mmCIF file of all heavy atoms in Angstrom:
data_model
loop_
_atom_site.group_PDB
_atom_site.id
_atom_site.type_symbol
_atom_site.label_atom_id
_atom_site.label_comp_id
_atom_site.label_asym_id
_atom_site.label_seq_id
_atom_site.Cartn_x
_atom_site.Cartn_y
_atom_site.Cartn_z
ATOM 1 N N PHE Z 84 -14.062 20.401 92.830
ATOM 2 C CA PHE Z 84 -15.023 19.337 92.534
ATOM 3 C C PHE Z 84 -14.735 18.804 91.143
ATOM 4 O O PHE Z 84 -14.704 19.569 90.168
ATOM 5 C CB PHE Z 84 -16.465 19.852 92.598
ATOM 6 C CG PHE Z 84 -17.453 18.861 92.034
ATOM 7 C CD1 PHE Z 84 -17.791 17.739 92.759
ATOM 8 C CD2 PHE Z 84 -18.004 19.021 90.775
ATOM 9 C CE1 PHE Z 84 -18.672 16.797 92.235
ATOM 10 C CE2 PHE Z 84 -18.883 18.089 90.243
ATOM 11 C CZ PHE Z 84 -19.218 16.976 90.981
ATOM 12 N N LEU Z 86 -15.155 15.017 88.483
ATOM 13 C CA LEU Z 86 -15.447 13.619 88.232
ATOM 14 C C LEU Z 86 -14.226 13.001 87.558
ATOM 15 O O LEU Z 86 -13.466 13.688 86.883
ATOM 16 C CB LEU Z 86 -16.661 13.467 87.314
ATOM 17 C CG LEU Z 86 -18.007 13.901 87.876
ATOM 18 C CD1 LEU Z 86 -19.095 13.685 86.836
ATOM 19 C CD2 LEU Z 86 -18.338 13.141 89.145
ATOM 20 N N TYR Z 218 -27.542 23.399 89.321
ATOM 21 C CA TYR Z 218 -27.521 23.041 90.741
ATOM 22 C C TYR Z 218 -26.562 23.978 91.448
ATOM 23 O O TYR Z 218 -25.690 24.598 90.829
ATOM 24 C CB TYR Z 218 -27.098 21.582 90.937
ATOM 25 C CG TYR Z 218 -25.652 21.298 90.584
ATOM 26 C CD1 TYR Z 218 -24.676 21.191 91.560
ATOM 27 C CD2 TYR Z 218 -25.256 21.151 89.253
ATOM 28 C CE1 TYR Z 218 -23.352 20.926 91.244
ATOM 29 C CE2 TYR Z 218 -23.931 20.899 88.925
ATOM 30 C CZ TYR Z 218 -22.989 20.788 89.917
ATOM 31 O OH TYR Z 218 -21.679 20.550 89.598
ATOM 32 N N GLN Z 275 -23.767 20.617 98.971
ATOM 33 C CA GLN Z 275 -24.874 20.853 98.039
ATOM 34 C C GLN Z 275 -26.191 21.029 98.781
ATOM 35 O O GLN Z 275 -27.252 21.068 98.164
ATOM 36 C CB GLN Z 275 -24.964 19.707 97.027
ATOM 37 C CG GLN Z 275 -23.829 19.739 96.029
ATOM 38 C CD GLN Z 275 -23.843 18.583 95.071
ATOM 39 O OE1 GLN Z 275 -24.824 17.849 94.989
ATOM 40 N NE2 GLN Z 275 -22.754 18.396 94.347
ATOM 41 N N GLN Z 334 -15.198 7.012 93.060
ATOM 42 C CA GLN Z 334 -16.598 7.349 92.968
ATOM 43 C C GLN Z 334 -17.444 6.083 93.015
ATOM 44 O O GLN Z 334 -16.892 4.988 92.835
ATOM 45 C CB GLN Z 334 -16.910 8.134 91.685
ATOM 46 C CG GLN Z 334 -16.436 7.501 90.404
ATOM 47 C CD GLN Z 334 -15.015 7.900 90.067
ATOM 48 O OE1 GLN Z 334 -14.720 9.071 89.947
ATOM 49 N NE2 GLN Z 334 -14.141 6.928 89.916
ATOM 50 N N PRO Z 335 -18.761 6.219 93.338
ATOM 51 C CA PRO Z 335 -19.556 7.435 93.471
ATOM 52 C C PRO Z 335 -19.078 8.309 94.638
ATOM 53 O O PRO Z 335 -18.275 7.869 95.463
ATOM 54 C CB PRO Z 335 -20.972 6.917 93.717
ATOM 55 C CG PRO Z 335 -20.774 5.561 94.325
ATOM 56 C CD PRO Z 335 -19.564 5.011 93.636
ATOM 57 N N LEU Z 336 -19.579 9.536 94.685
ATOM 58 C CA LEU Z 336 -19.070 10.518 95.625
ATOM 59 C C LEU Z 336 -19.948 10.607 96.868
ATOM 60 O O LEU Z 336 -21.177 10.531 96.789
ATOM 61 C CB LEU Z 336 -19.018 11.905 94.966
ATOM 62 C CG LEU Z 336 -18.284 12.002 93.631
ATOM 63 C CD1 LEU Z 336 -18.263 13.445 93.159
ATOM 64 C CD2 LEU Z 336 -16.865 11.457 93.738
ATOM 65 N N THR Z 337 -19.296 10.784 98.003
ATOM 66 C CA THR Z 337 -20.030 11.078 99.231
ATOM 67 C C THR Z 337 -20.861 12.331 99.017
ATOM 68 O O THR Z 337 -20.357 13.354 98.556
ATOM 69 C CB THR Z 337 -19.052 11.289 100.394
ATOM 70 O OG1 THR Z 337 -18.321 10.074 100.606
ATOM 71 C CG2 THR Z 337 -19.776 11.691 101.663
ATOM 72 N N ALA Z 338 -22.142 12.284 99.355
ATOM 73 C CA ALA Z 338 -23.026 13.416 99.081
ATOM 74 C C ALA Z 338 -23.718 13.964 100.317
ATOM 75 O O ALA Z 338 -24.396 14.991 100.236
ATOM 76 C CB ALA Z 338 -24.083 13.023 98.038
ATOM 77 N N TYR Z 361 -24.570 8.327 98.805
ATOM 78 C CA TYR Z 361 -23.715 8.576 97.643
ATOM 79 C C TYR Z 361 -24.536 9.128 96.482
ATOM 80 O O TYR Z 361 -25.734 8.862 96.357
ATOM 81 C CB TYR Z 361 -23.028 7.281 97.192
ATOM 82 C CG TYR Z 361 -21.998 6.760 98.166
ATOM 83 C CD1 TYR Z 361 -22.297 5.709 99.037
ATOM 84 C CD2 TYR Z 361 -20.719 7.307 98.215
ATOM 85 C CE1 TYR Z 361 -21.347 5.219 99.922
ATOM 86 C CE2 TYR Z 361 -19.765 6.823 99.103
ATOM 87 C CZ TYR Z 361 -20.087 5.788 99.955
ATOM 88 O OH TYR Z 361 -19.143 5.315 100.827
ATOM 89 N N ASP Z 362 -23.864 9.884 95.628
ATOM 90 C CA ASP Z 362 -24.484 10.440 94.421
ATOM 91 C C ASP Z 362 -23.444 10.379 93.305
ATOM 92 O O ASP Z 362 -22.300 10.010 93.525
ATOM 93 C CB ASP Z 362 -24.937 11.877 94.691
ATOM 94 C CG ASP Z 362 -25.920 12.409 93.650
ATOM 95 O OD1 ASP Z 362 -26.192 11.703 92.652
ATOM 96 O OD2 ASP Z 362 -26.417 13.535 93.828
ATOM 97 N N PHE Z 363 -23.862 10.746 92.099
ATOM 98 C CA PHE Z 363 -23.036 10.748 90.894
ATOM 99 C C PHE Z 363 -22.806 9.302 90.421
ATOM 100 O O PHE Z 363 -21.778 8.688 90.686
ATOM 101 C CB PHE Z 363 -21.715 11.492 91.111
ATOM 102 C CG PHE Z 363 -21.925 12.923 91.554
ATOM 103 C CD1 PHE Z 363 -22.007 13.247 92.899
ATOM 104 C CD2 PHE Z 363 -22.107 13.928 90.631
ATOM 105 C CE1 PHE Z 363 -22.234 14.547 93.313
ATOM 106 C CE2 PHE Z 363 -22.338 15.232 91.027
ATOM 107 C CZ PHE Z 363 -22.402 15.546 92.369
ATOM 108 N N PHE Z 364 -23.820 8.786 89.741
ATOM 109 C CA PHE Z 364 -23.840 7.404 89.281
ATOM 110 C C PHE Z 364 -23.889 7.347 87.758
ATOM 111 O O PHE Z 364 -24.892 7.690 87.155
ATOM 112 C CB PHE Z 364 -25.062 6.675 89.848
ATOM 113 C CG PHE Z 364 -25.007 6.438 91.323
ATOM 114 C CD1 PHE Z 364 -25.742 7.216 92.200
ATOM 115 C CD2 PHE Z 364 -24.222 5.419 91.839
ATOM 116 C CE1 PHE Z 364 -25.709 6.992 93.561
ATOM 117 C CE2 PHE Z 364 -24.179 5.178 93.210
ATOM 118 C CZ PHE Z 364 -24.925 5.970 94.072
ATOM 119 N N SER Z 365 -22.811 6.896 87.159
ATOM 120 C CA SER Z 365 -22.733 6.711 85.713
ATOM 121 C C SER Z 365 -23.073 5.260 85.398
ATOM 122 O O SER Z 365 -22.222 4.464 84.997
ATOM 123 C CB SER Z 365 -21.327 7.060 85.219
ATOM 124 O OG SER Z 365 -21.190 6.838 83.847
ATOM 125 N N TRP Z 405 -28.418 8.118 85.076
ATOM 126 C CA TRP Z 405 -27.174 8.881 85.266
ATOM 127 C C TRP Z 405 -27.510 9.994 86.251
ATOM 128 O O TRP Z 405 -28.019 11.040 85.880
ATOM 129 C CB TRP Z 405 -26.666 9.473 83.947
ATOM 130 C CG TRP Z 405 -25.180 9.466 83.762
ATOM 131 C CD1 TRP Z 405 -24.487 8.911 82.721
ATOM 132 C CD2 TRP Z 405 -24.185 10.057 84.621
ATOM 133 N NE1 TRP Z 405 -23.134 9.088 82.886
ATOM 134 C CE2 TRP Z 405 -22.910 9.800 84.034
ATOM 135 C CE3 TRP Z 405 -24.212 10.751 85.826
ATOM 136 C CZ2 TRP Z 405 -21.709 10.220 84.612
ATOM 137 C CZ3 TRP Z 405 -23.019 11.173 86.411
ATOM 138 C CH2 TRP Z 405 -21.790 10.909 85.801
ATOM 139 N N ALA Z 406 -27.261 9.719 87.529
ATOM 140 C CA ALA Z 406 -27.616 10.653 88.601
ATOM 141 C C ALA Z 406 -26.458 11.597 88.866
ATOM 142 O O ALA Z 406 -25.308 11.168 89.015
ATOM 143 C CB ALA Z 406 -27.965 9.880 89.869
ATOM 144 N N TYR Z 407 -26.760 12.874 88.941
ATOM 145 C CA TYR Z 407 -25.722 13.901 89.103
ATOM 146 C C TYR Z 407 -26.320 15.041 89.917
ATOM 147 O O TYR Z 407 -27.311 15.651 89.508
ATOM 148 C CB TYR Z 407 -25.277 14.402 87.727
ATOM 149 C CG TYR Z 407 -24.139 15.390 87.700
ATOM 150 C CD1 TYR Z 407 -22.899 15.026 87.182
ATOM 151 C CD2 TYR Z 407 -24.281 16.694 88.153
ATOM 152 C CE1 TYR Z 407 -21.845 15.927 87.116
ATOM 153 C CE2 TYR Z 407 -23.238 17.605 88.104
ATOM 154 C CZ TYR Z 407 -22.019 17.217 87.592
ATOM 155 O OH TYR Z 407 -20.981 18.110 87.531
ATOM 156 N N ALA Z 408 -25.728 15.306 91.083
ATOM 157 C CA ALA Z 408 -26.134 16.456 91.899
ATOM 158 C C ALA Z 408 -27.637 16.458 92.173
ATOM 159 O O ALA Z 408 -28.336 17.432 91.932
ATOM 160 C CB ALA Z 408 -25.709 17.758 91.245
ATOM 161 N N SER Z 409 -28.129 15.346 92.668
ATOM 162 C CA SER Z 409 -29.530 15.211 93.082
ATOM 163 C C SER Z 409 -30.510 15.429 91.946
ATOM 164 O O SER Z 409 -31.610 15.942 92.154
ATOM 165 C CB SER Z 409 -29.840 16.184 94.234
ATOM 166 O OG SER Z 409 -29.002 15.920 95.344
ATOM 167 N N LEU Z 684 -15.712 7.061 85.296
ATOM 168 C CA LEU Z 684 -15.899 6.850 86.724
ATOM 169 C C LEU Z 684 -15.392 5.495 87.181
ATOM 170 O O LEU Z 684 -15.990 4.821 88.005
ATOM 171 C CB LEU Z 684 -17.363 7.067 87.118
ATOM 172 C CG LEU Z 684 -17.777 8.546 87.266
ATOM 173 C CD1 LEU Z 684 -17.857 9.251 85.918
ATOM 174 C CD2 LEU Z 684 -19.088 8.673 88.016
#
Side-chain angles (χ1 to χ4, degrees):
F84 169 75
L86 293 180
Y218 68 101
Q275 288 177 12
Q334 53 272 303
L336 307 183
T337 298
Y361 292 101
D362 196 355
F363 302 90
F364 291 103
S365 177
W405 218 124
Y407 184 111
S409 301
L684 281 71

